[in-house]
Amino acid sequence: MVREAEALRHRTGGLDVRLVAAADLDAGRLAPLKELGVDVSASAETLIQRDDIDVIIELIGGIEPACTFVQRALRAGKSVVTANKALLATAGRDIFAAAKEGRSAVGFGASVCGGIPVLLAMRTGLVANEISSLMGIVNGTCNYILTRMTREGADYDHSLDEAQARGYAEADPTLDVEGHDSAHKLAILATLAFRAPASLDAIPCEGISRLEGVDVAYAREMGYVVKLLAIGKRTDRGAELRVNPTLLPGDHPLASVSDVYNAVEVNGHAVGTVMFYGRGAGRMPTASTVVADLVEVARGAAPRGDGQLSFWADAEPLPLLPAGDGRMRFYVRFNVKDEHGVLGRIASILGEHKVSIASVIQKEPGAAHGKANESVHVVMLSHEARESDFKAALLEIDACDFITQPSSFLRIEGH
Amino acid sequence: MVREAEALRHRTGGLDVRLVAAADLDAGRLAPLKELGVDVSASAETLIQRDDIDVIIELIGGIEPACTFVQRALRAGKSVVTANKALLATAGRDIFAAAKEGRSAVGFGASVCGGIPVLLAMRTGLVANEISSLMGIVNGTCNYILTRMTREGADYDHSLDEAQARGYAEADPTLDVEGHDSAHKLAILATLAFRAPASLDAIPCEGISRLEGVDVAYAREMGYVVKLLAIGKRTDRGAELRVNPTLLPGDHPLASVSDVYNAVEVNGHAVGTVMFYGRGAGRMPTASTVVADLVEVARGAAPRGDGQLSFWADAEPLPLLPAGDGRMRFYVRFNVKDEHGVLGRIASILGEHKVSIASVIQKEPGAAHGKANESVHVVMLSHEARESDFKAALLEIDACDFITQPSSFLRIEGH
């Protein structure tokens, strides 16, 4: 720690950041700090009341009691650095209201994508830009699982087991694989990008736990990879925000982001497309950004609650595009009886709903996947269509007598 | 301009940046600004002398008179924003000495990779890291040419013509294709990464103008792409800096950076690998970063000459690894007579120089490239070897009687 502090002083041109006190309900965990002369306590409140403390780093996690402590610290004029994405995504408005009142700063760079300085870039390096859209692989667990499914043709359950064995997935992986973690990060990214508080509850969120290996394989055959994407787009009628497994063309910059790596692509009116890539989680990458935030706060360079980000407390919530109104391309696999005329009937129902077909392949799944089956797979890529039109067409097709199992679909981005 | 200023005020939380005066020897170019109420003049000196000007944006380009004006402005306490990479790379020490004296700030984010906030990240977002290495595609002209050579098998001259026709290459492309532009950017990147002024003159620099299509094709066959890379590595015995066409594995994140796009990979001890991708040139991407710098200076968040970057004026030059001491893998194509025993003699000379072979292919170039030829190509990839050892082996081999033309080699990175 002493060596790191010295190195940091050197790299910042002499900034002297000292750890003076730490609080943890489990005092035993603080023993190594106590030996270094840091005041330790079981009460976070003691940190808030000390006059010689300028910045508090919140490492509690979760909403409460972190939320109460953070607000109290901010109101008391102490700046707070936190990597707590759940806190920002659900209680950002209260946090920034407190920061505004206390004229204090909130450093939250590590709350999205750990070591990747993407929030920093959106606040500062890209400040000249109106952001039109962003698209990110923001969950390493899902990206690891999808990489295994794509490269090795493994199924979801097997890939999840492997991720757990390597420590890349929790014992209960729900928060990651169902997309909730990605939605938290999207809420924060979208709030910064579109400069209005994005409501977490309003983000349609679909994970990867129901993704079938066969669809990953067909996508690959057609030149695409499947990624869990957090997507935010500015439209004339509100922002379109969603988290879902998505097909990306194989030559898209995000397509080659593999294993536990994260990346976020941002489109600005001046800069065009920029992308930020790196480790989105882990102790050291997260610490890298927490320290960067601390330095920014210490320099007085972090935006205070009454500054650049005050809109988080004040502004109306980000207006959203009504559900189903988004326009996009779709991948769809129909499971149909091997009968004459089926393709024509599917095409005609799609056409009635203004969905046109860009390409189609028909497969005998028995032959391709080692088991006999009386049904065949008809796999289609659509041109751009309205989401609600596409879903209405799907409902109608799935009710037809030639369908053997409900169809499965995925969205396509990146063209 | 008024609309942009209003949007910027909104995005910065109320920062009021006003363009009050502009100077250009060609007064006619300033007519549109004059109409907007901006004071115009033919003398840059008038800007420096005005008390109501806090920041000057240098858009002159080249070394002189820009260098004199910038230093004078900095000494007068005015901060300067510039995208002038030649200025920073060749006169950085003088610039920062002036900034130190005037306690003024230098914003130079757009001097490397235009719209990509990589310098910002190295100064701020990655400040907790000791940077061990960096590697970048920092010249869009070369990357466009190399992308054409790789994808279409086009030769260098044809690809350059195409780049010129599209406006991606200058009429005299020397600065770009010979790697000098990349070396300028590397000098700046390395200075920030390794916190000591890197001398431009000491950077070995090789461009792409002598690169042959056949080597790009062989590289591709072996799973590699050829990119012009600016490379900086910290070693125990000094920094290794160089610009050269380099083989990268096809699945390396930089390998998929195509056309005029730039990207820089940075490795830090805490964060691991991060990569920044985007447009490295062009009016609007560059303007995006110039405005970001301006905002940083206006907020007082830009490092002043007496702050984080004061080492640029004070520190000893970055110690460099002696030439030839670097260790790396090599690609080499020998042009040899189609005789018995040649492969053995090559392998034995390489072995005597401690260069071991990782893989080899032998090709009849006549068959592969549509013309009969009595010589054949022996293409090898080496294991890691000392550069001077490899070059000594090459000299000895090229002097052998079985060699029909001098051999050509490229370095390999990314394993």
Side-chain angles (χ1 to χ4, degrees):
Chain A
M1 195 180 87
V2 175
R3 199 184 58 80
E4 290 277 351
E6 184 50 46
L8 189 65
R9 187 152 40 237
H10 182 60
R11 279 193 298 267
T12 55
L15 195 72
D16 193 16
V17 178
R18 260 173 296 179
L19 178 60
V20 295
D24 194 317
L25 287 175
D26 177 359
R29 298 207 295 189
L30 300 177
L33 289 177
K34 198 173 178 183
E35 277 176 36
L36 289 166
V38 174
D39 294 343
V40 304
S41 148
S43 153
E45 197 59 41
T46 60
L47 307 184
I48 297 171
Q49 282 160 7
R50 278 177 67 155
D51 286 339
D52 61 339
I53 288 180
D54 303 309
V55 192
I56 294 178
I57 303 178
E58 182 272 308
L59 301 167
I60 305 169
I63 309 296
E64 284 299 350
C67 192
T68 300
F69 283 134
V70 166
Q71 287 185 68
R72 211 172 291 167
L74 289 167
R75 284 213 174 81
K78 307 216 179 296
S79 291
V80 171
V81 171
T82 176
N84 191 332
K85 57 188 164 287
L87 186 62
L88 268 295
T90 58
R93 188 177 278 271
D94 300 332
I95 299 293
F96 276 89
K100 191 169 187 180
E101 202 182 310
R103 300 169 60 89
S104 43
V106 187
F108 57 103
S111 65
V112 174
C113 291
I116 311 174
V118 57
L119 294 184
L120 170 77
M122 287 172 68
R123 274 197 296 105
T124 62
L126 303 180
V127 74
N129 290 269
E130 175 167 295
I131 307 295
S132 60
S133 66
L134 61 89
M135 191 156 80
I137 295 169
V138 295
N139 183 279
T141 305
C142 290
N143 205 43
Y144 182 84
I145 292 171
L146 291 175
T147 302
R148 296 280 79 71
M149 291 178 75
T150 302
R151 288 206 185 140
E152 293 144 27
D155 65 14
Y156 170 78
D157 290 328
H158 178 83
S159 304
L160 172 61
D161 287 348
E162 206 181 312
Q164 285 171 325
R166 287 173 174 256
Y168 296 153
E170 309 274 349
D172 176 1
T174 311
L175 200 63
D176 293 314
V177 300
E178 299 303 345
H180 305 309
D181 173 81
S182 297
H184 282 124
K185 292 165 181 165
L186 178 58
I188 299 170
L189 284 166
T191 298
L192 260 62
F194 306 132
R195 293 190 55 78
S199 166
L200 179 63
D201 303 333
I203 298 177
C205 177
E206 189 186 320
I208 62 169
S209 64
R210 282 172 306 280
L211 185 66
E212 293 185 53
V214 60
D215 292 314
V216 175
Y218 287 144
R220 195 179 176 186
E221 192 178 326
M222 297 167 107
Y224 292 81
V225 294
V226 180
K227 295 289 183 190
L228 184 71
L229 295 187
I231 296 168
K233 296 181 184 182
R234 191 194 288 269
T235 82
D236 293 343
R237 295 173 305 127
E240 183 187 347
L241 304 184
R242 55 195 161 84
V243 170
N244 46 238
T246 312
L247 268 65
L248 280 176
D251 61 357
H252 190 281
L254 288 175
S256 56
V257 176
S258 301
D259 298 318
V260 295
Y261 277 90
N262 283 196
V264 180
E265 179 193 290
V266 181
N267 291 286
H269 84 291
V271 78
T273 299
V274 286
M275 191 182 78
F276 305 89
Y277 167 98
R279 288 188 172 269
R283 202 170 59 94
M284 289 300 279
T286 303
S288 167
T289 302
V290 166
V291 171
D293 278 354
L294 183 62
V295 167
E296 201 187 16
V297 170
R299 270 184 181 148
R304 292 192 325 205
D306 53 343
Q308 189 192 16
L309 299 180
S310 60
F311 72 85
W312 210 329
D314 303 332
E316 293 296 310
L318 181 65
L320 296 183
L321 192 68
D325 256 18
R327 293 186 62 84
M328 61 203 80
R329 297 185 59 208
F330 293 93
Y331 161 100
V332 57
R333 169 172 53 91
F334 298 107
N335 308 288
V336 303
K337 290 183 191 155
D338 193 3
E339 292 175 354
H340 189 73
V342 165
L343 200 57
R345 286 178 64 191
I346 291 175
S348 113
I349 296 172
L350 288 170
E352 284 160 20
H353 290 273
K354 298 181 224 155
V355 179
S356 70
I357 301 167
S359 62
V360 56
I361 53 175
Q362 182 164 331
K363 288 278 179 178
E364 297 179 44
H369 299 89
K371 49 178 181 172
N373 195 320
E374 65 172 2
S375 81
V376 296
H377 289 167
V378 172
V379 178
M380 288 179 178
L381 305 185
S382 80
H383 286 297
E384 201 174 273
R386 197 159 161 264
E387 181 168 355
S388 55
D389 288 338
F390 174 79
K391 284 185 170 170
L394 226 58
L395 260 183
E396 192 173 330
I397 293 169
D398 275 358
C400 291
D401 54 7
F402 58 77
I403 291 290
T404 59
Q405 278 179 59
S407 50
S408 79
F409 76 93
L410 294 164
R411 292 164 183 86
I412 305 176
E413 291 286 341
H415 271 298
Chain B
M1 196 179 85
V2 174
R3 199 184 58 82
E4 290 277 351
E6 183 50 46
L8 189 65
R9 188 153 39 238
H10 182 60
R11 279 193 298 267
T12 55
L15 195 72
D16 193 17
V17 178
R18 260 173 295 179
L19 178 59
V20 293
D24 194 317
L25 288 175
D26 176 0
R29 298 208 294 189
L30 300 177
L33 288 177
K34 198 172 176 182
E35 277 177 36
L36 289 166
V38 174
D39 294 343
V40 304
S41 149
S43 154
E45 198 60 41
T46 60
L47 307 184
I48 297 171
Q49 282 161 6
R50 278 176 66 154
D51 287 338
D52 61 339
I53 288 180
D54 304 309
V55 192
I56 294 178
I57 303 177
E58 182 270 309
L59 301 167
I60 305 169
I63 309 295
E64 284 298 351
C67 192
T68 300
F69 284 134
V70 166
Q71 286 184 69
R72 211 173 289 165
L74 290 168
R75 283 211 176 82
K78 307 217 179 296
S79 292
V80 171
V81 171
T82 176
N84 191 331
K85 56 188 164 288
L87 186 62
L88 268 294
T90 58
R93 188 177 279 271
D94 300 331
I95 300 293
F96 277 89
K100 192 171 186 176
E101 204 182 309
R103 300 170 59 89
S104 43
V106 187
F108 57 103
S111 66
V112 174
C113 292
I116 311 174
V118 57
L119 295 183
L120 170 78
M122 287 173 69
R123 276 196 297 103
T124 62
L126 303 179
V127 74
N129 290 269
E130 175 167 295
I131 307 294
S132 59
S133 66
L134 61 90
M135 191 155 81
I137 295 168
V138 295
N139 183 278
T141 304
C142 290
N143 205 44
Y144 181 84
I145 292 171
L146 292 174
T147 302
R148 296 280 79 73
M149 290 177 76
T150 303
R151 288 207 185 139
E152 293 144 27
D155 65 14
Y156 169 78
D157 290 329
H158 178 83
S159 303
L160 173 60
D161 287 347
E162 204 181 313
Q164 285 170 327
R166 286 172 175 256
Y168 296 152
E170 309 273 348
D172 176 1
T174 311
L175 200 63
D176 293 313
V177 301
E178 299 304 345
H180 305 308
D181 173 81
S182 297
H184 281 125
K185 291 165 182 166
L186 178 58
I188 299 170
L189 284 166
T191 298
L192 259 61
F194 307 132
R195 293 191 53 79
S199 166
L200 179 63
D201 303 334
I203 298 176
C205 177
E206 190 186 319
I208 62 169
S209 65
R210 283 173 305 281
L211 185 67
E212 294 185 54
V214 60
D215 292 315
V216 174
Y218 287 145
R220 194 179 177 187
E221 192 178 327
M222 296 166 106
Y224 293 80
V225 294
V226 180
K227 294 290 182 188
L228 183 71
L229 294 186
I231 296 169
K233 296 181 184 182
R234 190 194 288 270
T235 82
D236 292 343
R237 296 172 305 124
E240 183 187 347
L241 305 183
R242 55 195 161 82
V243 170
N244 46 239
T246 313
L247 269 66
L248 280 176
D251 61 357
H252 190 281
L254 288 175
S256 55
V257 176
S258 301
D259 299 317
V260 294
Y261 278 90
N262 284 197
V264 180
E265 179 193 290
V266 181
N267 290 285
H269 85 291
V271 78
T273 299
V274 285
M275 190 181 79
F276 305 88
Y277 166 99
R279 287 188 173 268
R283 203 169 58 94
M284 289 300 281
T286 304
S288 167
T289 303
V290 166
V291 171
D293 278 354
L294 182 63
V295 168
E296 201 188 14
V297 169
R299 270 184 182 149
R304 292 193 323 208
D306 54 342
Q308 189 192 15
L309 299 180
S310 60
F311 71 86
W312 209 329
D314 303 332
E316 292 296 310
L318 181 66
L320 295 183
L321 192 68
D325 257 19
R327 292 186 63 82
M328 62 203 79
R329 298 185 59 206
F330 293 93
Y331 160 100
V332 57
R333 169 172 53 91
F334 299 107
N335 308 288
V336 302
K337 291 181 189 154
D338 194 4
E339 292 174 354
H340 189 70
V342 164
L343 199 57
R345 287 179 64 193
I346 291 175
S348 116
I349 296 172
L350 287 170
E352 284 160 21
H353 290 274
K354 298 181 223 156
V355 180
S356 70
I357 300 168
S359 62
V360 56
I361 54 175
Q362 183 164 330
K363 288 280 178 177
E364 298 179 45
H369 299 91
K371 49 179 181 173
N373 195 320
E374 63 173 6
S375 80
V376 295
H377 289 168
V378 172
V379 178
M380 288 180 178
L381 304 185
S382 80
H383 286 296
E384 200 174 274
R386 201 161 158 261
E387 181 168 355
S388 55
D389 288 338
F390 174 79
K391 285 184 170 170
L394 226 59
L395 261 183
E396 193 173 328
I397 293 169
D398 275 358
C400 291
D401 54 7
F402 57 77
I403 291 289
T404 59
Q405 278 179 63
S407 51
S408 79
F409 76 93
L410 295 164
R411 293 164 183 86
I412 305 176
E413 291 286 343
H415 271 298

